[in-house]
Each structure stands twice: as C-alpha cells, then as structure tokens.
Amino acid sequence: MEYTIDCDRSTVGQEYWLHYADGSSRHLLVRDEEVPYPDGKLIVSCTDLRGIITHCNQSFVDMSGYSKAELIGQPHHILRHPDMPAMAFKDLWTTIERGIKWHGYVKNLCKDGRYYWVFATVIPNVRNGTIVGYTSVRRKPSRTQVNACISLYARLKAQET
C-alpha cells in the first residue's frame, strides 16, 4: 500500500497531506515529539484482508491517542507516520499476503501528532487454509535498532522523491 506526501511548514509542527494507494487522503499535523513506549506493554490489533481494524486492545488505544470507537473500522494506515518509507509497507504486505509472518520497526503517528516507535510482528490469520485477516503485535523496540532505522528510513524516503 503506497502513499505520497505533500507538506508545508507550520509554527506548531509540520503539516502534511498523505495520499494513500486506496485513493483516500488525510491532512496531518506532525510534531517532533516522541512518546516513550511503556515497559511490559503489548499493542495488539487485528485487521481484515484490506487492513481495516477489526479489534484493538487498550494499549493500542492508550499509545495512539484514539478511542477504540475511532480505531475500529478505520484503515491501519491511520497511524502511518510520513517518515515511514513506502517500501517498508510494500514489504509487509507482500510478505503477509503470501502467508508469512513479518517483523519490522515502525514509526507510528499518534492522534495528536506525536509519534512512537514499535517492533511489530504481523501474522496472517488462517482458517481452513485461507488467510482471513491479520494480527499485529507490537512491543517496545530496541533503541539501537530504532536509531539504525531512522538513518535507513531517511535514505529510503529520499529515494522516493
């Protein structure tokens, strides 16, 4: 699922329009403020085959800043931070659509424009040999790996433009 970005500077953050492969667009205000991932918490969500959120736990609600009602029925890309390269999500979707578990570091966007990093594992949900949806479990990431991803993702984003 690819997307494009238009951005403008703002005095309280950076404004973006994200344009997603599904044809939707979203206006964002992004603040350069990280929300620390709490020790001992797991963020869990389930989606249908199109990435629409069908279930989320309280840790997901707490970290994202959205209510459960605001999350259920929305595309998971509601959390996509504009610093994330499209290539990361292309790899995720290519992997899970083949029925293979995917792992990776993701920078997510909170409702208020702040961000948080996760180490995500996305698992295809298989029933009677058919993929029926996906479950994502996120945990506290390694700071060393996050720092490596910051550099890598910046290079990948620069290649996209």
Side-chain angles (χ1 to χ4, degrees):
M1 303 202 109
E2 295 180 15
Y3 60 98
T4 59
I5 302 171
D6 301 324
C7 90
D8 297 309
R9 295 271 177 205
S10 168
T11 57
V12 292
Q14 196 162 358
E15 292 186 39
Y16 291 86
W17 272 100
L18 288 183
H19 308 284
Y20 301 102
D22 66 3
S24 65
S25 295
R26 182 168 171 233
H27 182 255
L28 308 169
L29 179 63
V30 178
R31 298 167 39 197
D32 189 22
E33 183 182 338
E34 184 170 0
V35 176
Y37 195 104
D39 291 329
K41 296 286 184 177
L42 292 177
I43 295 173
V44 179
S45 60
C46 298
T47 70
D48 66 13
L49 293 172
R50 296 174 298 129
I52 304 299
I53 300 168
T54 58
H55 167 78
C56 60
N57 70 350
Q58 189 60 45
S59 293
F60 188 19
V61 170
D62 295 342
M63 284 300 291
S64 71
Y66 289 96
S67 71
K68 191 171 190 171
E70 289 174 306
L71 291 166
I72 302 297
Q74 292 299 312
H76 214 285
H77 65 59
I78 192 172
L79 300 173
R80 185 163 303 156
H81 193 285
D83 287 351
M84 286 298 299
M87 181 183 292
F89 295 106
K90 182 176 182 188
D91 179 62
L92 180 152
W93 280 101
T94 299
T95 303
I96 63 175
E97 286 175 343
R98 292 188 339 225
I100 300 169
K101 180 182 352 179
W102 181 88
H103 299 283
Y105 289 85
V106 179
K107 185 177 185 179
N108 282 329
L109 186 67
C110 300
K111 181 179 180 180
D112 67 4
R114 297 180 300 160
Y115 67 91
Y116 60 99
W117 282 93
V118 299
F119 180 69
T121 301
V122 182
I123 304 160
N125 300 327
V126 179
R127 305 286 182 270
N128 299 319
T130 301
I131 298 172
V132 297
Y134 305 101
T135 297
S136 179
V137 178
R138 278 87 75 202
R139 63 181 183 260
K140 186 173 186 168
S142 151
R143 197 73 224 172
T144 301
Q145 290 298 319
V146 166
N147 291 338
C149 286
I150 291 169
S151 299
L152 172 63
Y153 292 174
R155 286 193 308 274
L156 293 173
K157 288 291 294 179
Q159 293 172 5
E160 289 177 3
T161 56

